[in-house]
Amino acid sequence: MRPATETIRDLLNRAENCLIQNGVPNARRNAEWMLCASLEVSMLDLYVRSGEFVSSRAIDDYWRRVERRAAREPLQYILGSTEFMALPFLARPGVFVPRPDTEVLVEHAERRLRAIELHRPALVLDLCCGSGVIGVSIAKRVPNAGVTAVDVSEAAVELTSDNAAHNGVSDRVRLVQDDAVEYLDSTADRFAAILCNPPYIASGELAGLPREVRDHEPMLALDGGPDGLDFYRRAIPRMVRCLLPDGFVMVEIGDAQGASVSDLFEGAGFMSVRVIQDLAGRDRVVTT
């Protein structure tokens, strides 16, 4: 049973202990973020006002968040938001949580698209769009880009639509609910860039993922088949016909998949295939 009244300091300490007992990484920081959300204050306010008492209504709201996090629900779902490329994004259960790793793809794609933009508007395809962080970030950062965002999940398409509106780029993000490979087969559009963060985790590795991922995020966005390469095998041969003559593809990969995915691109007739590393020196993106 919780105390009838608690200060901010006491509440943070109790929440931190609860999260530690349940194996939550970065327990103190998680406790702080959730209390900021419940009290609608800044991180600085938590410590400037640490001796203030918290209302029982706010305590109840906060403790519901703490219990969800103790059950290892992703923090982004609990807060309802996250940040990507310094932009605000909504986050909801049922849609893949964006990772900082994907920023590598967006940064390199932005550079390539800005060069294209000097000559003409850039039409971009965001396959397996999820929460829309790739396509929306490109629309926000490349003013002349028009994005088509495709996902088979209705929840993902709705969230991408909301995130486009949240970032003021709805007029340049077109939403399509469809299987990514079927869309590649059917579209008549030709793109300056095809960007994609597909499911690429080998099926046998799913059980070993952190509980936040394994128990809460959609398997559709994670399971890449027996060796993690199912999507690439199906999609890469179909991408050739969907590109403009000087267009390019960028896909995110697992850190042991650089050579295998590069071989698939080369086998489909792509030239000048290369692997891009992240800041830790791990293979993260394959591009043509």
Side-chain angles (χ1 to χ4, degrees), residues 84-285:
F84 183 89
M85 298 293 294
L87 297 172
F89 284 88
L90 305 174
R92 293 181 194 139
V95 181
F96 181 74
V97 174
R99 270 63 166 178
D101 290 338
T102 306
E103 294 187 359
V104 176
L105 185 154
V106 174
E107 289 167 354
H108 283 267
E110 179 187 353
R111 292 191 200 113
R112 298 270 295 269
L113 287 166
R114 283 188 177 277
I116 293 172
E117 187 191 4
L118 296 174
H119 308 291
R120 63 172 186 273
L123 188 59
V124 176
L125 177 60
D126 177 11
L127 284 178
C128 308
C129 63
S131 58
V133 291
I134 293 176
V136 170
S137 296
I138 288 295
K140 188 76 174 178
R141 297 166 71 92
V142 184
N144 211 23
V147 175
T148 297
V150 179
D151 204 294
V152 71
S153 163
E154 181 179 2
V157 171
E158 289 178 355
L159 184 54
T160 295
S161 178
D162 290 344
N163 276 323
H166 195 55
N167 282 280
V169 293
S170 291
D171 59 328
R172 290 190 292 112
V173 178
R174 181 172 72 97
L175 285 303
V176 177
Q177 184 182 349
D178 198 359
D179 174 81
V181 173
E182 291 180 6
Y183 179 81
L184 290 171
D185 278 338
S186 63
T187 184
D189 291 330
R190 297 295 177 266
F191 298 92
I194 298 175
L195 312 177
C196 184
N197 179 16
Y200 58 71
I201 298 173
S203 302
E205 297 175 3
L206 295 171
L209 294 174
R211 285 178 56 194
E212 287 84 348
V213 181
R214 184 189 69 223
D215 296 344
H216 295 279
E217 295 198 55
M219 285 297 111
L220 186 67
L222 300 168
D223 190 349
D227 61 358
L229 302 177
D230 278 4
F231 177 86
Y232 305 111
R233 288 195 186 94
R234 295 176 62 222
I236 288 172
R238 294 168 162 86
M239 291 177 176
V240 179
R241 61 171 290 276
C242 299
L243 281 176
L244 293 168
D246 58 349
F248 65 91
V249 180
M250 283 190 184
V251 296
E252 186 170 325
I253 59 168
D255 58 16
Q257 295 174 333
S260 298
V261 175
S262 295
D263 287 346
L264 290 171
F265 274 109
E266 290 170 355
F270 284 94
M271 307 295 290
S272 305
V273 179
R274 65 188 180 96
V275 179
I276 299 171
Q277 282 77 38
D278 59 23
L279 293 176
R282 298 168 300 196
D283 290 354
R284 185 55 56 201
V285 171

